[in-house]
Amino acid sequence: MAAEPQPKALTRKPLLLNKVEGSQEVVNMAAIVPKEDGVISVSEDRTVRVWLKRDSGQYWPSIYHAMPSPCSCMSFNPETRRLSIGLDNGTISEFILSEDYNKMTLVKSYQAHQNRVMMVLFVLEMEWVLSTGQDKHFTWHCSESGQRLGGYRTSAGACGLQFDVETRHVFVGDHSGQVTILKLERESCSLVTTFKGHTGGVTALCWDPIQRVLFSGSSDHSIIMWDIGGRKGTAIELQGHNDKVQSLSYAHHTRQLISCGADGGIVVWNMDVERQETPEWLDSDSCQKCDQPFFWNFKQMWDSKKIGLRQHHCRKCGKAVCGKCSSKRSSIPLMGFEFEVRVCDSCHESITDEERAPTATFHDSKHNIVHVHFDATRGWLLTSGTDKVIKLWDMTPVVS
């Protein structure tokens, strides 16, 4: 389906606090340093940089460290100041940052994958380092001994990785569009389940351990909210981007989801509303409104002496309809459709103005976003883009 025009942003907007510039290549990942005016970044130019805000108001590197291979991802633990960096050559290198963030000391390295590390996650409670790679493997290591504890082969290279400490469940989203849930033990893992709802690859995952909800973003431009804890199997679709969803973050205190995409959009979703699951598309050989045959229904075309029509589906009821019976468009925010989508004429008449009220706000970052990091304590959002620029935003006007 062609992309629909994006809704206009509401008046409350994020405030651009600062720009961090100076990287020679794309900044693949970055994080706000808690309780400091600082940013840690890893880049395709092989550098790890710690940027601290100076008296001039600008950010300058207090650490500039060159790695042997492009830096693909990172995980920073503020309590231990442990920085885990995934590299293009499959290595994960761990450093400890000094208290003043002016020095980084190498602790150990793991040869975790055969090629590019896609995601890395340090779990302090378990002393585990989790990672996914382009080699279609999920692995986990002991951060104390450096020993590889186990691995699992995924159906494709994986970009999404989340972990639930309470249940020891790991969520892995891969390029085939599948999400795999594994149960980790000390030196073994077992497959819990797999599920697939995207037509494109999974590009980002975000886990809410309180509501027991998993969010997945995809190259198909959509987000799906999976009800894991409720055991209802509910999957709520969110449509708010015109390009692939690159990164997700969740504000637990306000129950708002922040999604960012390659379209430059920052979308803030209100998840504190009763959303509706999108219906399954029904199969039919003729329009379920006017009974006109679809173009493959040769028998009815011959019997009725009518030319077959193209099949469409109403996004609200899921019925198979012809173009004449679905000439109207409407947003259905409670179903996740913030853009106007095809609905049958009878559903269009039943949708009230209240039901069309938006449940998300849309904002333009003015760069193609690669990754985001949200600091809930200050309400700051960091976005890094393909333009090699890191932007810091004050999100309190919209996340409150």
Side-chain angles (χ1 to χ4, degrees):
M1 186 181 73
E4 302 287 348
Q6 185 159 314
K8 292 182 180 180
L10 300 183
T11 52
R12 296 185 301 162
K13 297 180 180 180
L15 302 174
L16 181 61
L17 299 173
N18 221 312
K19 292 183 182 181
V20 181
E21 301 175 283
S23 297
Q24 302 303 308
E25 295 290 344
V26 175
V27 177
N28 286 316
M29 202 168 284
I32 300 167
V33 180
K35 302 177 183 178
E36 296 281 345
D37 266 331
V39 170
I40 303 170
S41 68
V42 296
S43 171
E44 203 69 28
D45 65 9
R46 300 190 299 114
T47 64
V48 181
R49 309 187 197 204
V50 178
W51 312 78
L52 295 180
K53 191 174 183 180
R54 308 302 183 183
D55 292 339
S56 64
Q58 298 301 309
Y59 286 84
W60 292 95
S62 62
I63 294 176
Y64 180 104
H65 185 88
M67 300 295 289
S69 182
C71 306
S72 52
C73 55
M74 59 166 272
S75 175
F76 179 63
N77 182 268
E79 291 182 51
T80 60
R81 298 188 306 282
R82 183 186 295 261
L83 179 64
S84 307
I85 302 167
L87 302 180
D88 192 61
N89 63 9
T91 302
I92 297 173
S93 294
E94 287 199 334
F95 297 84
I96 298 295
L97 301 185
S98 62
E99 289 189 27
D100 60 4
Y101 292 95
N102 283 310
K103 183 182 179 183
M104 55 191 289
T105 304
L106 179 65
V107 178
K108 62 174 67 71
S109 291
Y110 316 87
Q111 189 56 48
H113 297 276
Q114 297 300 311
N115 48 32
R116 190 177 180 92
V117 182
M118 301 300 292
M119 287 293 290
V120 61
L121 189 62
F122 171 63
V123 183
L124 177 61
E125 292 86 348
M126 311 297 175
E127 292 288 349
W128 286 348
V129 177
L130 315 180
S131 63
T132 58
Q134 275 187 344
D135 60 0
K136 302 181 183 180
H137 274 87
F138 159 75
T139 66
W140 74 104
H141 290 75
C142 174
S143 62
E144 294 176 308
S145 66
Q147 177 187 356
R148 178 187 170 110
L149 298 176
Y152 182 88
R153 183 173 175 82
T154 56
S155 58
C159 282
L161 179 63
Q162 291 284 281
F163 182 72
D164 182 57
V165 174
E166 182 183 340
T167 62
R168 297 190 181 185
H169 284 154
V170 65
F171 307 93
V172 181
D174 64 45
H175 290 313
S176 74
Q178 180 173 287
V179 177
T180 301
I181 303 181
L182 303 170
K183 170 79 170 183
L184 296 192
E185 301 298 342
R186 176 66 184 176
E187 296 182 3
S188 66
C189 73
S190 56
L191 175 64
V192 177
T193 189
T194 61
F195 46 89
K196 188 173 182 178
H198 292 288
T199 57
V202 175
T203 51
L205 291 179
C206 182
W207 171 244
D208 174 14
I210 300 171
Q211 301 294 324
R212 316 295 295 172
V213 165
L214 181 72
F215 299 95
S216 62
S218 171
S219 58
D220 65 9
H221 310 178
S222 74
I223 301 162
I224 297 178
M225 181 184 80
W226 307 90
D227 182 6
I228 305 293
R231 306 187 189 282
K232 300 174 184 176
T234 307
I236 305 295
E237 193 174 343
L238 304 175
Q239 297 281 358
H241 289 277
N242 290 315
D243 206 333
K244 64 180 177 180
V245 179
Q246 295 279 51
S247 195
L248 301 169
S249 190
Y250 190 69
H252 299 276
H253 61 297
T254 57
R255 293 192 65 184
Q256 288 171 295
L257 178 72
I258 303 171
S259 64
C260 295
D263 55 3
I266 300 173
V267 184
V268 181
W269 304 86
N270 178 15
M271 302 310 299
D272 198 20
V273 294
E274 192 66 35
R275 293 186 177 273
Q276 303 167 20
E277 194 169 12
T278 50
E280 289 188 19
W281 286 3
L282 303 178
D283 293 325
S284 180
D285 290 328
S286 58
C287 176
Q288 293 180 301
K289 292 293 182 179
C290 68
D291 202 38
Q292 285 270 61
F294 294 132
F295 63 81
W296 62 82
N297 188 352
F298 297 114
K299 184 180 185 306
Q300 188 176 346
M301 286 166 57
W302 178 264
D303 292 344
S304 62
K305 301 296 188 291
K306 293 180 180 179
I307 297 174
L309 303 176
R310 182 183 173 191
Q311 177 185 263
H312 300 282
H313 282 92
C314 172
R315 299 305 191 272
K316 190 172 192 296
C317 68
K319 288 183 178 179
V321 290
C322 67
K324 186 177 179 182
C325 293
S326 59
S327 60
K328 305 288 177 57
R329 302 290 182 273
S330 176
S331 61
I332 322 174
L334 293 181
M335 281 188 170
F337 297 113
E338 295 287 338
F339 302 155
E340 290 191 343
V341 291
R342 180 184 296 273
V343 293
C344 65
D345 292 355
S346 56
C347 281
H348 186 271
E349 291 177 8
S350 70
I351 301 173
T352 65
D353 289 341
E354 288 79 10
E355 289 176 315
R356 291 190 178 95
T359 61
T361 58
F362 297 79
H363 315 281
D364 185 7
S365 71
K366 301 191 184 302
H367 67 165
N368 178 326
I369 296 173
V370 175
H371 181 74
V372 302
H373 177 241
F374 182 62
D375 181 354
T377 59
R378 286 179 283 189
W380 288 6
L381 183 75
L382 176 151
T383 61
S384 56
T386 55
D387 55 4
K388 310 168 191 176
V389 176
I390 299 168
K391 294 183 179 181
L392 285 167
W393 307 85
D394 181 1
M395 296 295 291
T396 51
V398 288
V399 182
S400 58

